[in-house]
């Protein structure tokens, strides 16, 4: 076994080589969290989406450990710049729409866009004294620019959402996406997943320092999901996710600049 990643008091990911020559991945969860993820995986395995999610092999509840079957393929993020990227985006939109149409037992909490914006505001507050007021004022201005549009929305249709949906949560296997990491699955506004994924397309371009416009990639994903470009909920969710990532990348000026500018373009439309 090999330890792949470790976040103290949160999670650890372990790679196992099994005696039959196959491989599996174990994930250690914080206390009480493994049962939630395992139950979701079990429910999903009984739906038409079974092949679109990572498969659990075993749950060791006393260890807060789930063993997951290895998914062979390519991370969608690693396909950026190849001919397989856009078909992967389109197929991902279709699978996400199917997830949002599933019906499960009602969870304990419901996530809204106002919740997402509030969390981002807390991240900004924690940076006071660590970064210049000029940098933080720009972020605060974007946050304030989203507060009124966010508050004006009608209550969402509550659906099951992934909660952390982006291009490194997906393996493309034989042209079809397989969704990883069920930690954040909960009931909430579907726009959160859609907007977050759109923002991570922007992030992929910023990460690769690409000068191309994200519009074509956005359109391919939206066409797969069948959501309009002018959907206001999705626009707001997209901007919130861009703002959150701009906060996270303050220490990397070029990525921060690109993400902030993309967020500002959306906010200026409101």
């Amino acid at each position: 076994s090999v330890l792949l990643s470790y976040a103290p008091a949160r999670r650890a990911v372990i790679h196992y080589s099994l005696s039959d020559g196959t491989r599996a991945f174990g994930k250690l969860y914080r206390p009480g969290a493994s049962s939630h993820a395992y139950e979701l995986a079990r429910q999903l395995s009984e739906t038409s989406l079974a092949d679109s999610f990572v498969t659990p092999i075993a749950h060791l509840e006393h260890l807060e450990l789930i063993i997951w079957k290895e998914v062979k393929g390519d991370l969608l993020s690693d396909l950026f710049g190849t001919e397989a990227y856009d078909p992967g985006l389109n197929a991902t939109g279709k699978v996400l729409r199917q997830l949002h149409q599933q019906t499960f037992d009602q969870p304990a909490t419901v996530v809204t866009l106002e919740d997402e914006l509030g969390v981002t505001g807390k991240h900004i507050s924690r940076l006071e004294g660590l970064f210049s007021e000029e940098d933080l004022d720009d972020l605060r201005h974007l946050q304030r620019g989203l507060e009124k549009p966010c508050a004006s929305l009608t209550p969402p249709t509550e659906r099951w959402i992934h909660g952390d949906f982006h291009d490194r949560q997906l393996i493309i296997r034989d042209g079809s996406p397989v969704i990883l990491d069920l930690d954040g699955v909960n009931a909430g506004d579907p726009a959160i997943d859609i907007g977050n994924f759109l923002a991570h397309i922007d992030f992929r371009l910023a990460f690769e320092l690409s000068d191309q416009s994200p519009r074509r990639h956005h359109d391919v994903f939206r066409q797969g999901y069948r959501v309009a470009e002018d959907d206001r909920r999705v626009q707001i969710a997209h901007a919130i996710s861009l703002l959150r990532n701009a906060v996270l990348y303050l220490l990397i000026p070029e990525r921060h600049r690109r993400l902030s500018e993309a967020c500002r373009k959306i906010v200026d439309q409101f």
Side-chain angles (χ1 to χ4, degrees), residues 69-254:
K69 185 178 180 180
E70 180 188 29
V71 180
K72 294 183 178 180
D74 299 294
L75 281 171
L76 178 57
S77 59
D78 292 344
L79 295 177
F80 179 79
T82 73
E83 293 181 356
Y85 186 63
D86 279 356
L89 291 177
N90 188 267
T92 294
K94 293 177 181 177
V95 167
L96 182 62
R97 181 179 176 86
Q98 288 179 278
L99 170 64
H100 290 163
Q101 291 173 337
Q102 297 300 311
T103 301
F104 302 120
D105 295 336
Q106 185 70 13
T109 58
V110 175
V111 186
T112 68
L113 286 172
E114 286 187 290
D115 294 332
E116 294 288 289
L117 184 59
V119 169
T120 301
K122 290 178 181 178
H123 289 332
I124 296 171
S125 297
R126 293 191 187 107
L127 298 178
E128 292 176 1
L130 300 175
F131 291 90
S132 72
E133 281 301 302
E134 181 180 356
D135 286 336
L136 296 182
D137 280 344
D138 183 54
L139 294 171
R140 293 184 190 112
H141 175 75
L142 292 172
Q143 180 193 355
R144 288 192 296 270
L146 286 165
E147 286 174 348
K148 186 175 180 179
C150 199
S152 69
L153 293 172
T154 57
T157 299
E158 295 168 8
R159 302 285 187 182
W160 278 89
I161 64 173
H162 183 273
D164 189 23
F165 198 69
H166 56 79
D167 60 359
R168 294 191 66 79
Q169 299 280 36
L170 292 135
I171 295 282
I172 303 300
R173 178 179 61 190
D174 299 327
S176 298
V178 179
I179 300 175
L180 310 175
D181 193 356
L182 304 180
D183 298 17
V185 174
N186 220 319
D189 190 334
I192 292 171
D193 281 345
I194 304 169
N196 195 54
F197 194 86
L198 291 170
H200 276 80
I201 293 175
D202 295 275
F203 170 79
R204 188 58 46 203
L205 292 168
F207 182 83
E208 302 290 346
L209 298 178
S210 171
D211 292 328
Q212 67 176 286
S213 167
R215 184 183 181 92
R216 177 170 63 87
H217 300 310
H218 287 166
D219 288 345
V220 169
F221 170 70
R222 278 194 293 252
Q223 287 163 7
Y225 190 94
R226 287 186 282 165
V227 62
E229 182 179 358
D230 61 355
D231 186 296
R232 191 171 179 83
R233 304 191 82 89
V234 172
Q235 290 175 335
I236 293 171
H238 185 182
I240 291 172
S241 185
L242 284 167
L243 177 57
R244 180 173 62 250
N245 280 282
V247 173
L248 294 175
Y249 283 94
L250 264 170
L251 286 172
I252 305 179
E254 181 59 18

Side-chain angles (χ1 to χ4, degrees), residues 1-7 10-16 24-29 65-68 181 183:
S1 62
V2 178
L3 180 65
L4 298 180
S5 65
Y6 174 60
R10 292 177 59 198
R11 65 182 178 275
V13 179
I14 307 161
H15 170 243
Y16 296 101
F25 291 87
K27 188 166 185 180
L28 283 166
Y29 293 76
L65 173 67
I66 301 178
I67 307 296
W68 302 92
D181 193 356
D183 298 17

